Structure formats: structure tokens, C-alpha cells
């Protein structure tokens, strides 16, 4: 499966997973010059910026092993840009990570790491 198709599929799986957990998806694929935030959601008056990584079962690395310090640095800048562009105030800001190990259409594993960035 091509990387972009796999990535889009992972984001859809993550969106459904989050909705089932009571999250409201407010933005998908927020882009700026610093990169992209896959999903932005709200829950309990908190805003959660979510990085989604999907890897096929043939990949030797786990999805969470692909996050670098530079990616985290840019992710914080992306979040700040988004917050500055919105009028809404939130009681907390969180950064979550969802790793998906994809084997087949109905065979995948979700690893949701809450607050993966301090």
C-alpha cells in the first residue's frame, strides 16, 4: 500500500477511534510553513493536537519510534500558530500521539499515547 494512502487510512481510523472516545474533531490536516498537524480535537474544554503515524506490519519500526526532537519542536510551533488563529480559549492544551500498526482492513492495532509532549 502506498505511503500516502496508508497515512490517510490511519488518520480515518484515528478519527473514528477518537470520536468513539468522546473527542470532537475540529480540524484535520492543519498546515502551515512549519508542517502539519494531523488532527485537532476538543474534549472537556481542552484542545488536543494529535499526531497520527501509521506503519504497515512489514515495517521494522513502531509508529512511535518515528517521532524526532525536530518534529516535536515544529509541532509546538504549529500548535501555537493554530491557537493564535482562533478566538476560542481552552483550559488546557495537550499533545497526543496515535500509532497504528496496520496489517489489513480489519486487522490493526492502535496505540494512543496521551500527553506525549510536555
Amino acid at each position: 500500500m502506498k505511503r500516502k494512502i496508508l497515512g490517510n487510512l490511519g488518520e480515518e481510523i484515528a478519527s473514528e477511534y477518537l470520536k468513539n472516545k468522546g473527542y470532537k474533531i475540529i480540524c484535520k490536516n492543519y498546515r502551515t510553513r512549519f508542517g502539519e498537524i494531523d488532527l485537532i480535537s476538543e474534549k472537556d474544554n481542552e484542545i488536543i493536537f494529535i499526531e497520527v503515524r501509521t506503519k504497515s506490519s512489514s515495517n521494522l519500526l513502531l509508529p512511535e519510534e518515528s517521532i524526532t526532537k525536530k518534529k516535536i519542536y515544529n509541532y509546538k510551533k504549529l500548535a501555537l500558530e493554530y491557537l493564535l488563529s482562533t478566538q476560542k480559549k481552552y483550559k488546557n492544551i495537550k499533545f497526543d500521539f496515535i500509532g497504528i500498526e496496520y496489517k489489513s482492513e480489519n486487522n490493526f492495532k492502535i496505540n494512543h499515547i496521551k500527553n506525549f509532549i510536555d
Side-chain angles (χ1 to χ4, degrees):
M1 184 178 298
K2 290 187 178 185
R3 195 171 123 189
K4 178 122 176 97
I5 294 170
L6 186 63
N8 290 340
L9 180 60
E11 288 174 16
E12 286 304 313
I13 291 169
S15 291
E16 287 305 310
Y17 166 83
L18 291 167
K19 288 176 191 174
N20 290 334
K21 298 284 184 183
Y23 292 73
K24 177 184 174 192
I25 305 298
I26 56 173
C27 185
K28 292 182 179 182
N29 305 114
Y30 176 77
R31 287 179 175 54
T32 76
R33 61 194 164 129
F34 298 116
E36 176 185 284
I37 295 176
D38 296 320
L39 300 171
I40 302 173
S41 67
E42 293 179 343
K43 186 175 182 185
D44 303 325
N45 199 30
E46 296 178 329
I47 187 165
I48 304 105
F49 298 95
I50 302 159
E51 174 69 9
V52 179
R53 293 286 173 104
T54 308
K55 300 286 185 183
S56 66
S57 59
S58 63
N59 196 309
L60 298 176
L61 290 177
L62 294 172
E64 50 272 23
E65 293 175 315
S66 65
I67 300 295
T68 64
K69 287 181 182 181
K70 183 177 181 180
K71 177 69 177 176
I72 290 170
Y73 176 76
N74 286 339
Y75 216 69
K76 288 179 179 180
K77 290 196 294 188
L78 282 161
L80 181 59
E81 277 198 34
Y82 179 83
L83 291 169
L84 291 172
S85 74
T86 184
Q87 300 296 317
K88 189 163 181 181
K89 303 294 181 210
Y90 296 94
K91 72 176 184 180
N92 280 322
I93 300 165
K94 294 183 177 179
F95 297 90
D96 285 7
F97 176 85
I98 295 182
I100 299 173
E101 293 176 65
Y102 185 84
K103 296 177 183 168
S104 64
E105 186 176 336
N106 293 312
N107 187 4
F108 51 85
K109 180 183 171 191
I110 298 173
N111 183 17
H112 185 182
I113 302 171
K114 296 181 180 181
N115 301 312
F116 88 101
I117 298 176
D118 293 330

